[in-house]
Amino acid sequence: MTRPSPIRGPLSLLLIGGTSEIALTLATTLAERHELHVVLAARPGRRRDSADGMLTSLGCDVESIDFDAQELDRSLRGLGHLFDGLVVDVAVVAQGVLPDQDLLESNPQAAGRVCTINYTSAVGVGLLLADRMVGQGRGVIVALSSVAAMRPRNANYVYGSTKAGLDAFYTGLRDRLHDTAVRVLVVRPGHVHTRMTQGLTPAPFAVGPEAVADAIVARLDVAGDGPVWVPAILGPVMGILGLLPAALFRQLAGEPASQRPLGKQATR
């Protein structure tokens, strides 16, 4: 049996959804410890250019490739070509949107697009990453899940369902790869203060993206592939909430179906 070892030395870091604030904060944190080659897999535009410039200013070697979760076939081909010429040490699956629940209830087509971005594309990406990392003999896949995956609420059940699917997929992928040199880390943050959650009332135990990045880096530095709760207290808290009867859980959730202006959605 081959078991993975902690991350050491220079790193190549692939950020899928490369303009994600959490993903970029992770890159910034890693750049303080490692010589870093970063691949930004994201849609071309101002935000990707800004991320490139920021990481370059930190001394990272940066390259960008096009990735659009709604054009999965083409995007997966691009990721496959990337692995033809690069050994990827860490890949972060960070593409995602947090939509307005009220809008989705009157627009099933928009709900379908959310599922494509948040879940369907993550499955395709995960299978490709697993195949290529097993082939190269090492690697860590970091999948950004959410506590919303554990028990979706009436205010965000479409989003929560996509995260539940993502979480289940990467948990299964983790178990499938357990006897290889590839690790899968399923990260379950609570409310994170980013542009995606701007305007929402913070839930208990809210954190900044730096806390998520620190938790991921801490896990990269040790062997093991258990879930990463951010903050750690959310693990036992969600265990308790998962046992509550539905009526009591609805009462505790106690929030309107949406806290966002209609039509607004943001990326992580």
Side-chain angles (χ1 to χ4, degrees):
M1 179 179 70
T2 303
R3 293 302 298 135
S5 58
I7 296 294
R8 298 286 185 265
L11 292 181
S12 59
L13 175 66
L14 169 60
L15 304 181
I16 302 165
T19 59
S20 153
E21 287 182 62
I22 294 175
L24 290 173
T25 303
L26 174 61
T28 300
T29 303
L30 286 171
E32 298 172 354
R33 306 179 178 208
H34 300 272
E35 180 182 337
L36 204 62
H37 176 82
V38 183
V39 180
L40 296 173
R43 290 180 296 180
R46 178 183 56 82
R47 284 174 51 192
R48 192 177 77 179
D49 292 342
S50 176
D52 187 320
M54 183 270 290
L55 293 173
T56 299
S57 71
L58 296 176
C60 301
D61 177 30
V62 183
E63 66 173 299
S64 297
I65 63 173
D66 291 349
F67 180 89
D68 188 331
Q70 297 187 84
E71 297 183 9
L72 189 56
D73 287 351
R74 185 174 70 178
S75 295
L76 290 179
R77 285 196 297 271
L79 289 177
H81 292 323
L82 173 72
F83 275 89
D84 291 340
L86 178 69
V87 173
V88 175
D89 295 301
V90 180
V92 183
V93 183
Q95 72 271 28
V97 294
L98 175 59
D100 178 85
Q101 180 66 43
D102 285 348
L103 177 63
L104 296 187
E105 291 180 1
S106 60
N107 191 335
Q109 293 83 359
R113 288 191 292 272
V114 171
C115 294
T116 296
I117 295 168
N118 288 9
Y119 173 66
T120 305
S121 73
V123 170
V125 165
L127 292 172
L128 184 144
L129 292 175
D131 177 71
R132 294 308 181 97
M133 285 185 168
V134 168
Q136 70 185 19
R138 71 174 192 266
V140 181
I141 302 169
V142 178
L144 295 184
S145 181
S146 168
V147 295
M150 302 298 100
R151 191 161 184 177
R153 298 170 290 119
N154 67 331
N156 69 348
Y157 62 87
V158 172
Y159 173 79
S161 71
T162 65
K163 287 301 184 180
L166 178 149
D167 195 287
F169 171 80
Y170 280 94
T171 298
L173 185 64
R174 178 197 67 190
D175 293 344
R176 177 199 149 200
L177 298 177
H178 182 73
D179 292 333
T180 75
V182 179
R183 278 194 290 165
V184 178
L185 299 181
V186 178
V187 183
R188 296 170 179 164
H191 184 104
V192 183
H193 297 294
T194 67
R195 63 176 171 267
M196 189 163 92
T197 59
Q198 187 175 4
L200 296 179
T201 301
F205 312 114
V207 297
E210 296 81 8
V212 183
D214 288 344
I216 295 170
V217 170
R219 189 60 63 85
L220 291 176
D221 286 342
V222 299
D225 57 5
V228 182
W229 296 92
V230 189
I233 194 175
L234 282 177
V237 167
M238 294 308 297
I240 293 170
L241 290 178
L243 298 175
L244 295 180
L248 180 55
F249 181 77
R250 283 194 297 268
Q251 183 178 355
L252 288 175
E255 64 209 10
S258 177
Q259 300 174 4
R260 252 184 210 282
L262 281 177
K264 183 177 180 181
Q265 71 176 27
T267 55
R268 183 187 302 283

